[in-house]
Amino acid sequence: MTLSLADRHITALMRQITTQDVIELVHPFAEWQTFGALAYIAECYGFRYADVRLVGKQKIAHIHLVRDTSPQARQRAAANSAAFPDPGPGRPVPGMYLGSLTPVPEAQADVDLITTLIRYDAAGAAANRKQLLAMAWAGPALFLLLAVLTGKYAVLLPLAVLTPVFLLGALRINATRRAKLGERLLAAGCTPVRDDAGRERFVRPVSYRV
């Protein structure tokens, strides 16, 4: 039997759920909504979304979830394990239409919220403000030095001008996008916090869904 992409994602996820206390989702070409749906399923089985890292030059997203030991999470996991005892290809999983990672209406809001959290954290990881500002000013200095050393002013002077414009513009666009995501999270009842590393993040309100 040929598995659909959704079935392959779900199969890989369930393998981690049953064998690990820390889950890592790495799907280079997946959309954010796919990560949100997979994280939702994992949370139905007693995990919680923890963080996202962007790895390598291609900034590939690595989504991390950890096992939630709270009584509420254990109750949710037990209820879903009883309702969906054998999730996988051709069989139902919590909150999704059969054979897909498309949320059913009653799960859509939760999936959207998790997706927004992931996107907010990813935007923060992508925009290392100190690093980008350092590059914005070090880049022109380097190009000016190279221009003096090589005499190729026509090529290097435009780069010296355009580098900070591009980097500062990218920083501003990312900050605007992240601010809009933050507004959505506030509207959904999430609380802004700073984590141990000093990063701005959000904590979701306690959910009573099973």
Side-chain angles (χ1 to χ4, degrees), residues 162-181:
L162 292 175
T163 295
V165 172
F166 174 78
L167 290 174
L168 293 175
L171 189 62
R172 180 171 186 144
I173 291 171
N174 189 76
T176 300
R177 181 182 298 120
R178 195 166 189 244
K180 290 181 179 179
L181 293 170

mmCIF file of all heavy atoms in Angstrom, residues 162-181:
data_model
loop_
_atom_site.group_PDB
_atom_site.id
_atom_site.type_symbol
_atom_site.label_atom_id
_atom_site.label_comp_id
_atom_site.label_asym_id
_atom_site.label_seq_id
_atom_site.Cartn_x
_atom_site.Cartn_y
_atom_site.Cartn_z
ATOM 1 N N LEU A 162 24.001 48.778 -0.281
ATOM 2 C CA LEU A 162 22.805 47.942 -0.306
ATOM 3 C C LEU A 162 22.742 46.922 0.842
ATOM 4 O O LEU A 162 21.668 46.534 1.261
ATOM 5 C CB LEU A 162 22.721 47.196 -1.640
ATOM 6 C CG LEU A 162 22.458 48.076 -2.868
ATOM 7 C CD1 LEU A 162 22.526 47.243 -4.138
ATOM 8 C CD2 LEU A 162 21.105 48.757 -2.745
ATOM 9 N N THR A 163 23.907 46.498 1.344
ATOM 10 C CA THR A 163 23.911 45.477 2.396
ATOM 11 C C THR A 163 23.134 45.913 3.639
ATOM 12 O O THR A 163 22.242 45.187 4.101
ATOM 13 C CB THR A 163 25.355 45.097 2.770
ATOM 14 O OG1 THR A 163 25.977 44.481 1.640
ATOM 15 C CG2 THR A 163 25.365 44.117 3.939
ATOM 16 N N PRO A 164 23.424 47.088 4.219
ATOM 17 C CA PRO A 164 22.640 47.482 5.406
ATOM 18 C C PRO A 164 21.173 47.737 5.086
ATOM 19 O O PRO A 164 20.300 47.468 5.919
ATOM 20 C CB PRO A 164 23.341 48.752 5.891
ATOM 21 C CG PRO A 164 24.074 49.272 4.712
ATOM 22 C CD PRO A 164 24.485 48.070 3.927
ATOM 23 N N VAL A 165 20.898 48.252 3.883
ATOM 24 C CA VAL A 165 19.505 48.491 3.500
ATOM 25 C C VAL A 165 18.729 47.177 3.486
ATOM 26 O O VAL A 165 17.613 47.081 4.015
ATOM 27 C CB VAL A 165 19.431 49.174 2.121
ATOM 28 C CG1 VAL A 165 17.984 49.230 1.634
ATOM 29 C CG2 VAL A 165 20.024 50.573 2.189
ATOM 30 N N PHE A 166 19.331 46.157 2.885
ATOM 31 C CA PHE A 166 18.675 44.855 2.791
ATOM 32 C C PHE A 166 18.494 44.230 4.167
ATOM 33 O O PHE A 166 17.402 43.767 4.519
ATOM 34 C CB PHE A 166 19.505 43.923 1.901
ATOM 35 C CG PHE A 166 18.996 42.514 1.865
ATOM 36 C CD1 PHE A 166 17.899 42.173 1.088
ATOM 37 C CD2 PHE A 166 19.603 41.518 2.617
ATOM 38 C CE1 PHE A 166 17.410 40.880 1.060
ATOM 39 C CE2 PHE A 166 19.133 40.217 2.601
ATOM 40 C CZ PHE A 166 18.031 39.901 1.810
ATOM 41 N N LEU A 167 19.546 44.220 4.988
ATOM 42 C CA LEU A 167 19.482 43.558 6.288
ATOM 43 C C LEU A 167 18.537 44.282 7.243
ATOM 44 O O LEU A 167 17.738 43.651 7.943
ATOM 45 C CB LEU A 167 20.879 43.466 6.893
ATOM 46 C CG LEU A 167 21.844 42.498 6.201
ATOM 47 C CD1 LEU A 167 23.242 42.603 6.801
ATOM 48 C CD2 LEU A 167 21.336 41.064 6.302
ATOM 49 N N LEU A 168 18.605 45.609 7.270
ATOM 50 C CA LEU A 168 17.716 46.354 8.159
ATOM 51 C C LEU A 168 16.269 46.260 7.689
ATOM 52 O O LEU A 168 15.343 46.214 8.506
ATOM 53 C CB LEU A 168 18.162 47.816 8.227
ATOM 54 C CG LEU A 168 19.521 48.047 8.907
ATOM 55 C CD1 LEU A 168 19.929 49.511 8.806
ATOM 56 C CD2 LEU A 168 19.487 47.605 10.362
ATOM 57 N N GLY A 169 16.078 46.193 6.361
ATOM 58 C CA GLY A 169 14.726 46.004 5.831
ATOM 59 C C GLY A 169 14.165 44.649 6.206
ATOM 60 O O GLY A 169 12.995 44.534 6.592
ATOM 61 N N ALA A 170 15.007 43.619 6.106
ATOM 62 C CA ALA A 170 14.566 42.274 6.482
ATOM 63 C C ALA A 170 14.221 42.219 7.968
ATOM 64 O O ALA A 170 13.245 41.585 8.369
ATOM 65 C CB ALA A 170 15.656 41.255 6.159
ATOM 66 N N LEU A 171 15.012 42.900 8.783
ATOM 67 C CA LEU A 171 14.754 42.929 10.228
ATOM 68 C C LEU A 171 13.425 43.610 10.526
ATOM 69 O O LEU A 171 12.641 43.137 11.355
ATOM 70 C CB LEU A 171 15.895 43.670 10.932
ATOM 71 C CG LEU A 171 15.910 43.631 12.459
ATOM 72 C CD1 LEU A 171 16.065 42.208 12.963
ATOM 73 C CD2 LEU A 171 17.050 44.502 12.986
ATOM 74 N N ARG A 172 13.150 44.682 9.818
ATOM 75 C CA ARG A 172 11.890 45.412 10.041
ATOM 76 C C ARG A 172 10.684 44.590 9.598
ATOM 77 O O ARG A 172 9.664 44.546 10.286
ATOM 78 C CB ARG A 172 11.924 46.734 9.283
ATOM 79 C CG ARG A 172 10.668 47.557 9.449
ATOM 80 C CD ARG A 172 10.805 48.932 8.878
ATOM 81 N NE ARG A 172 9.628 49.718 9.176
ATOM 82 C CZ ARG A 172 9.649 51.006 9.445
ATOM 83 N NH1 ARG A 172 10.797 51.649 9.521
ATOM 84 N NH2 ARG A 172 8.523 51.665 9.645
ATOM 85 N N ILE A 173 10.797 43.941 8.439
ATOM 86 C CA ILE A 173 9.689 43.117 7.938
ATOM 87 C C ILE A 173 9.396 41.982 8.903
ATOM 88 O O ILE A 173 8.235 41.684 9.221
ATOM 89 C CB ILE A 173 10.020 42.563 6.541
ATOM 90 C CG1 ILE A 173 10.028 43.699 5.508
ATOM 91 C CG2 ILE A 173 9.032 41.476 6.127
ATOM 92 C CD1 ILE A 173 10.549 43.287 4.154
ATOM 93 N N ASN A 174 10.451 41.329 9.384
ATOM 94 C CA ASN A 174 10.275 40.218 10.309
ATOM 95 C C ASN A 174 9.643 40.692 11.623
ATOM 96 O O ASN A 174 8.777 40.026 12.188
ATOM 97 C CB ASN A 174 11.616 39.552 10.589
ATOM 98 C CG ASN A 174 11.463 38.263 11.378
ATOM 99 O OD1 ASN A 174 11.082 37.237 10.854
ATOM 100 N ND2 ASN A 174 11.768 38.330 12.672
ATOM 101 N N ALA A 175 10.069 41.863 12.108
ATOM 102 C CA ALA A 175 9.518 42.394 13.353
ATOM 103 C C ALA A 175 8.038 42.718 13.191
ATOM 104 O O ALA A 175 7.230 42.463 14.102
ATOM 105 C CB ALA A 175 10.285 43.649 13.767
ATOM 106 N N THR A 176 7.669 43.252 12.017
ATOM 107 C CA THR A 176 6.262 43.568 11.763
ATOM 108 C C THR A 176 5.424 42.299 11.713
ATOM 109 O O THR A 176 4.332 42.225 12.294
ATOM 110 C CB THR A 176 6.122 44.331 10.432
ATOM 111 O OG1 THR A 176 6.877 45.553 10.503
ATOM 112 C CG2 THR A 176 4.668 44.660 10.146
ATOM 113 N N ARG A 177 5.943 41.285 11.028
ATOM 114 C CA ARG A 177 5.230 40.011 10.922
ATOM 115 C C ARG A 177 5.071 39.378 12.306
ATOM 116 O O ARG A 177 3.996 38.889 12.660
ATOM 117 C CB ARG A 177 5.990 39.069 9.998
ATOM 118 C CG ARG A 177 5.314 37.710 9.785
ATOM 119 C CD ARG A 177 6.144 36.821 8.893
ATOM 120 N NE ARG A 177 6.316 37.387 7.564
ATOM 121 C CZ ARG A 177 7.478 37.686 7.022
ATOM 122 N NH1 ARG A 177 8.596 37.481 7.701
ATOM 123 N NH2 ARG A 177 7.550 38.179 5.806
ATOM 124 N N ARG A 178 6.125 39.426 13.104
ATOM 125 C CA ARG A 178 6.069 38.814 14.441
ATOM 126 C C ARG A 178 5.103 39.582 15.351
ATOM 127 O O ARG A 178 4.407 38.975 16.169
ATOM 128 C CB ARG A 178 7.468 38.781 15.046
ATOM 129 C CG ARG A 178 7.587 37.860 16.261
ATOM 130 C CD ARG A 178 9.030 37.599 16.592
ATOM 131 N NE ARG A 178 9.136 36.552 17.601
ATOM 132 C CZ ARG A 178 9.627 36.752 18.829
ATOM 133 N NH1 ARG A 178 10.037 37.951 19.198
ATOM 134 N NH2 ARG A 178 9.716 35.760 19.680
ATOM 135 N N ALA A 179 5.061 40.900 15.204
ATOM 136 C CA ALA A 179 4.138 41.688 16.012
ATOM 137 C C ALA A 179 2.690 41.322 15.703
ATOM 138 O O ALA A 179 1.851 41.234 16.613
ATOM 139 C CB ALA A 179 4.369 43.181 15.760
ATOM 140 N N LYS A 180 2.389 41.080 14.431
ATOM 141 C CA LYS A 180 1.028 40.683 14.054
ATOM 142 C C LYS A 180 0.673 39.314 14.635
ATOM 143 O O LYS A 180 -0.449 39.095 15.105
ATOM 144 C CB LYS A 180 0.887 40.671 12.536
ATOM 145 C CG LYS A 180 0.916 42.058 11.904
ATOM 146 C CD LYS A 180 0.758 41.986 10.396
ATOM 147 C CE LYS A 180 0.756 43.379 9.786
ATOM 148 N NZ LYS A 180 0.638 43.325 8.300
ATOM 149 N N LEU A 181 1.647 38.396 14.617
ATOM 150 C CA LEU A 181 1.414 37.085 15.223
ATOM 151 C C LEU A 181 1.204 37.226 16.728
ATOM 152 O O LEU A 181 0.351 36.552 17.315
ATOM 153 C CB LEU A 181 2.605 36.159 14.942
ATOM 154 C CG LEU A 181 2.808 35.756 13.483
ATOM 155 C CD1 LEU A 181 4.164 35.058 13.312
ATOM 156 C CD2 LEU A 181 1.692 34.840 12.997
#
